[in-house]
Amino acid sequence: MTARSAPSTQHSALLPTVAIIGRPNVGKSTLFNRILGHRSAIVDDVPGVTRDRNYAEASFRGRPFRLVDTGGLDPSANEGMLALIRHQTQVAIAEADVLIFVMDGRDGVTPTDEAVVSLLRGIKKPVYYAVNKIDTAKAEPLVADFYRLGLDHLYPVSAEHGIGVDDVLEAVYPHLPQEPPEGSLADVPRVAIVGRPNVGKSTLVNAVLGQDRCVVSDIPGTTRDPIDSLATLDGRQYIFTDTAGIRRRGRIERGVEGYSVARSLRALGRSDVAVLLLDAEEGLTEQDTKIAGLVLRQGRACILLVNKWDLRAHEAGAKQAYEADLHRRFSFLTWAPVLYASALKPDSLRPLFPLIEQVVASFTNRIPTGPLNQFFQSVLESHPLPMRKGRITKTARSAFITQVATKPPVFALFVGHPEGITAAYLRFLENRLREQFPLIGTPVRILVRKK
């Protein structure tokens, strides 16, 4: 089971891709944010903050394109995190239709710049060379040093202040489509992969996509920006978001990690389904429970994926013990389906896509008022509304229910005396709704309103 990922197979059919590349700490993410018009990528004055490819949709003068922020490129890196980042940047270069190579005007030409320019000479696609941090008239002479690289045209810019950025985009403009591409991603299900650090989120995304889409490392905290990937399986598209691991609040460092966690929570909020990764070896932790609570608070559909299960599958009674612990710790999430799998064994992930389809269908399902009230009346016959002053009133007999929203399903229960409806009755009604209608993997909300 591997889906095809759009960045390598379908991106040109959706939008042209413009990739920003360059060595570490030259201002790529700042330029990325400037072009987008908002702060999407994490920016910090520390080399190596951006590691994965970070995609976003942008437009210039009415023409749309996909913008890619990449990690700092060091062609000589052969091991460690820099080598992983180099691989990701090389993939971005291969995917891109247009490249913007950013250099640091204050640092002047460096050996790494020279190596990258040599690499780009062999690439048969448009490349635009930007000299960043040229923010004053006094800084403009710094650009002259870069002409010794043998380049015909340079674009002096200040990504921080927006100076010269439009000049680069004007050069890119002819490569952008005049008409928006057919099809929209608005209805594509969004799936956020969430969990605490180092449980295998990036490995899972790579397994699903069938390629090294995300940087994978055994160093906790490798993923910083939430990374979106468009995948296609059997003609159905999905957007998978790899998020940063969410640690206990007291252990979150200020600065980059704080931004990472905040963006993970935002990515969760804009997703339809959260796949919460749990560690089969380490077992459930208090932090797992807290993350599950965040999923519930955000009103997202949820699938629990117990990762690394191949390491415990041979243990007698292991699944029963794990399920008992799940029921104890996640008593508020009993409606979430559970999948036991291993991100390192793609075949074990085959049930994931059908499960996502089932959960998304429940999350977006709207039950007609007629069948809903037929069900509700049958419930009232066996379990009437709580009595008021020891007797059932006429208004209780005329109570009715209707669905008022989806994503997640929200129901409005209209009764004569809302104050008499207990939390226990609402839990009972929710359980009966789940028995009667397809509400698998989605939270359900019931609002009590006065008739």
Side-chain angles (χ1 to χ4, degrees), residues 242-442:
D242 181 28
T243 66
I246 303 173
R247 295 200 289 174
R248 293 199 307 271
R249 181 175 297 180
R251 297 184 61 186
I252 296 174
E253 299 176 6
R254 297 181 64 183
V256 169
E257 186 179 7
Y259 293 141
S260 298
V261 172
R263 282 172 169 78
S264 293
L265 295 177
R266 276 203 294 273
L268 173 61
R270 62 186 169 87
S271 296
D272 300 303
V273 181
V275 175
L276 173 53
L277 247 64
L278 306 169
D279 193 305
E281 274 197 302
E282 294 183 11
L284 297 174
T285 68
E286 181 182 355
Q287 184 61 10
D288 291 325
T289 306
K290 289 183 177 178
I291 297 172
L294 291 173
V295 173
L296 184 62
R297 200 172 306 136
Q298 295 266 18
R300 301 302 92 189
C302 185
I303 295 170
L304 303 177
L305 197 157
V306 184
N307 192 27
K308 309 176 187 177
W309 189 250
D310 55 316
L311 302 177
R312 296 196 58 189
H314 62 282
E315 297 179 20
K319 182 172 288 190
Q320 292 85 345
Y322 205 97
E323 286 176 347
D325 201 19
L326 274 174
H327 186 75
R328 179 176 64 86
R329 287 182 177 268
F330 289 7
S331 58
F332 55 90
L333 214 65
T334 54
W335 43 263
V338 183
L339 175 63
Y340 294 84
S342 171
L344 293 177
K345 296 184 179 297
D347 283 348
S348 70
L349 297 172
R350 287 187 181 277
L352 180 59
F353 277 92
L355 201 53
I356 290 172
E357 276 297 297
Q358 191 176 27
V359 167
V360 168
S362 297
F363 189 62
T364 58
N365 187 37
R366 184 177 289 276
I367 303 170
T369 300
L372 189 58
N373 274 284
Q374 289 176 9
F375 148 79
F376 184 52
Q377 292 305 315
S378 68
V379 170
L380 289 178
E381 289 177 8
S382 57
H383 292 81
L385 294 176
M387 293 186 296
R388 185 171 183 266
K389 296 181 180 180
R391 59 192 178 88
I392 302 174
T393 64
K394 292 182 179 179
T395 54
R397 295 190 183 97
S398 62
F400 69 95
I401 189 171
T402 186
Q403 185 173 350
V404 295
T406 60
K407 295 187 174 184
V410 180
F411 300 89
L413 175 62
F414 290 90
V415 297
H417 299 280
E419 68 279 2
I421 305 300
T422 64
Y425 191 87
L426 291 179
R427 284 195 299 271
F428 162 77
L429 184 57
E430 178 185 335
N431 290 336
R432 291 298 305 272
L433 278 166
R434 292 185 182 281
E435 292 172 4
Q436 182 70 22
F437 300 104
L439 294 169
I440 298 168
T442 179

Side-chain angles (χ1 to χ4, degrees), residues 168-241:
V168 180
L169 293 176
E170 286 289 354
V172 172
Y173 185 75
H175 305 286
L176 306 179
Q178 296 185 24
E179 297 292 334
E182 293 184 2
S184 170
L185 299 183
D187 297 326
V188 175
R190 301 187 71 96
V191 183
I193 311 299
V194 299
R196 53 190 170 88
N198 219 31
V199 293
K201 296 182 294 298
S202 296
T203 305
L204 174 67
V205 173
N206 289 340
V208 167
L209 299 179
Q211 60 166 281
D212 290 339
R213 170 62 184 83
C214 305
V215 171
V216 180
S217 169
D218 58 3
I219 303 170
T222 299
T223 300
R224 270 115 181 251
D225 286 315
I227 305 299
D228 284 352
S229 296
L230 184 66
T232 301
L233 184 71
D234 298 331
R236 176 69 155 139
Q237 292 183 319
Y238 310 82
I239 296 174
F240 282 84
T241 305

